[in-house]
């Protein structure tokens, strides 16, 4: 794992946006895995604000997850989120942006078909990930099989509470989601995970320094050959090896030896 600790969250966001854009510059027909959540909003804003942004016309994208029961037009659906925060500002044709359909009549079937669509596209070149405060990636909650494929997951109380802020006071957060599985995520050639703020410090520690276990699904990234963890100082606060990571990558820089 490459652990980049940035003094300021803004710099961590810029680095994440740069890693994504570098991938597209290197390979204009890249297959990207995209994520939602509050952490990704400034990343997508940064990409849209950049004048040196490469063309996304040849890119295909697959999002990690979607709430079961929400149609693409639903204001809190991840379809809407992606349109609002990224896709509407890009030159990527809509047909090349894929998300699972939350309103599919048979969610289980939609999940397995989505997994097949990812496989048919070839491997994901770069998978962007956020981190749940409970260590989830996508919606792979604690207890998720480390060998799981895209499927329907029941969300934990913690995740329902964490995500309630995106919904109105009278709205209920859906209890189920379709999410890429952990094995599906691990097949990506490169993984970039961004986690910011003190609320993520415990999960960051579990992911980087804890035992690999279903209890902290993100800990599986310890097995990935090309995973970059981008964090700010607040999210790095609980790391035992923090000094070492900061020595190897001062200020989050990637120093070539
Ligand atoms: C959500 C998403 C994840 C996201 C995580 C963190 O529930 N399914 O993909 O990474 O939780 O969200 P946030 O960035 O809002 O803290």
């Amino acid at each position: 794992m490459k652990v980049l600790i940035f003094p300021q969250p803004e710099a961590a966001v810029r680095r994440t946006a740069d890693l994504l854009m570098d991938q597209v510059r290197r390979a204009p027909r890249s297959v990207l895995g995209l994520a939602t959540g509050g952490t990704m909003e400034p990343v997508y804003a940064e990409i849209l604000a950049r004048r040196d942004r490469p063309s996304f016309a040849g890119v295909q994208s697959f999002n990690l997850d979607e709430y079961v029961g929400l149609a693409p037009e639903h204001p809190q659906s991840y379809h809407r989120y992606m349109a609002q925060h990224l896709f509407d500002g890009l030159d990527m044709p809509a047909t090349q942006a894929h998300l699972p359909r939350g309103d599919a009549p048979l969610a289980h079937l939609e999940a397995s078909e989505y997994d097949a669509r990812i496989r048919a596209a070839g491997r994901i070149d770069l998978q962007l990930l956020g981190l749940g405060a409970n260590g989830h990636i996508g919606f792979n909650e604690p207890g998720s099989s480390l060998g799981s494929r895209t499927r329907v997951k029941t969300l934990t109380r913690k995740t329902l509470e964490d995500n309630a802020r995106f919904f109105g006071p009278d709205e209920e957060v859906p209890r189920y989601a379709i999410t890429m599985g952990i094995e599906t995520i691990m097949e990506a050639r490169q993984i970039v995970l961004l986690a910011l703020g003190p609320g993520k410090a415990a999960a960051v520690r579990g992911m980087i320094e804890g035992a690999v276990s279903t209890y902290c699904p993100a800990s599986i990234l310890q097995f990935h050959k090309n995973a970059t963890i981008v964090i700010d100082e607040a999210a790095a606060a609980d790391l035992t090896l923090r000094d070492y990571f900061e020595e190897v990558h001062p200020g989050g820089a990637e120093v070539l030896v």
Side-chain angles (χ1 to χ4, degrees):
M1 279 173 148
K2 190 187 289 179
V3 180
L4 306 179
I5 304 172
F6 289 85
Q8 300 298 334
E10 295 79 12
V13 162
R14 273 198 302 277
R15 185 79 191 105
T16 305
D18 274 325
L19 286 168
L20 205 90
M21 289 190 286
D22 286 348
Q23 169 65 40
V24 176
R25 275 188 206 103
R26 252 195 331 271
R29 301 184 63 78
S30 290
V31 181
L32 300 179
L34 298 178
T36 52
T39 313
M40 294 304 152
E41 291 179 18
V43 175
Y44 297 144
E46 172 74 17
I47 291 173
L48 294 184
R50 287 283 283 274
R51 299 182 63 179
D52 61 343
R53 181 177 72 245
S55 168
F56 278 64
V59 167
Q60 275 201 80
S61 70
F62 287 90
N63 262 78
L64 283 166
D65 44 21
E66 178 59 287
Y67 290 112
V68 169
L70 300 195
E73 311 74 48
H74 190 285
Q76 271 71 44
S77 74
Y78 285 163
H79 279 79
R80 283 296 308 143
Y81 172 106
M82 290 307 298
Q84 268 170 13
H85 293 288
L86 186 66
F87 295 154
D88 286 354
L90 285 184
D91 59 347
M92 183 170 76
T95 50
Q96 289 164 211
H98 309 276
L99 287 97
R101 289 280 305 219
D103 60 345
L106 296 169
H108 294 278
L109 192 62
E110 170 67 8
S112 53
E113 284 176 2
Y114 189 69
D115 206 86
R117 267 151 64 201
I118 297 170
R119 279 193 156 142
R123 283 169 68 188
I124 286 177
D125 293 299
L126 188 152
Q127 175 69 57
L128 192 58
L129 293 177
L131 179 66
N134 63 1
H136 74 218
I137 46 175
F139 270 132
N140 292 285
E141 298 283 36
S144 289
S145 162
L146 300 182
S148 53
R149 309 292 312 177
T150 305
R151 70 214 182 290
V152 175
K153 278 300 289 180
T154 307
L155 304 183
T156 60
R157 195 166 298 277
K158 170 78 177 137
T159 297
L160 297 179
E161 286 166 10
D162 286 350
N163 287 357
R165 68 188 196 279
F166 295 112
F167 290 78
D170 305 329
E171 282 179 308
E172 256 182 56
V173 184
R175 286 194 59 213
Y176 304 98
I178 296 174
T179 180
M180 274 190 208
I182 293 183
E183 189 179 75
T184 318
I185 291 171
M186 287 292 283
E187 283 171 358
R189 289 191 171 86
Q190 185 186 358
I191 289 182
V192 176
L193 182 145
L194 175 66
L196 302 173
K200 300 293 169 71
V204 163
R205 177 166 192 197
M207 165 175 68
I208 297 174
E209 297 177 345
V212 173
S213 77
T214 61
Y215 186 69
C216 178
S219 63
I220 191 69
L221 299 182
Q222 293 174 32
F223 275 115
H224 199 279
K225 292 185 177 63
N226 190 1
T228 302
I229 312 298
V230 183
I231 50 182
D232 63 353
E233 287 187 351
D238 290 355
L239 289 175
T240 307
L241 295 173
R242 175 177 169 176
D243 288 351
Y244 172 69
F245 296 134
E246 288 181 326
E247 195 184 314
V248 180
H249 300 292
E254 295 189 53
V255 184
L256 290 180
V257 182

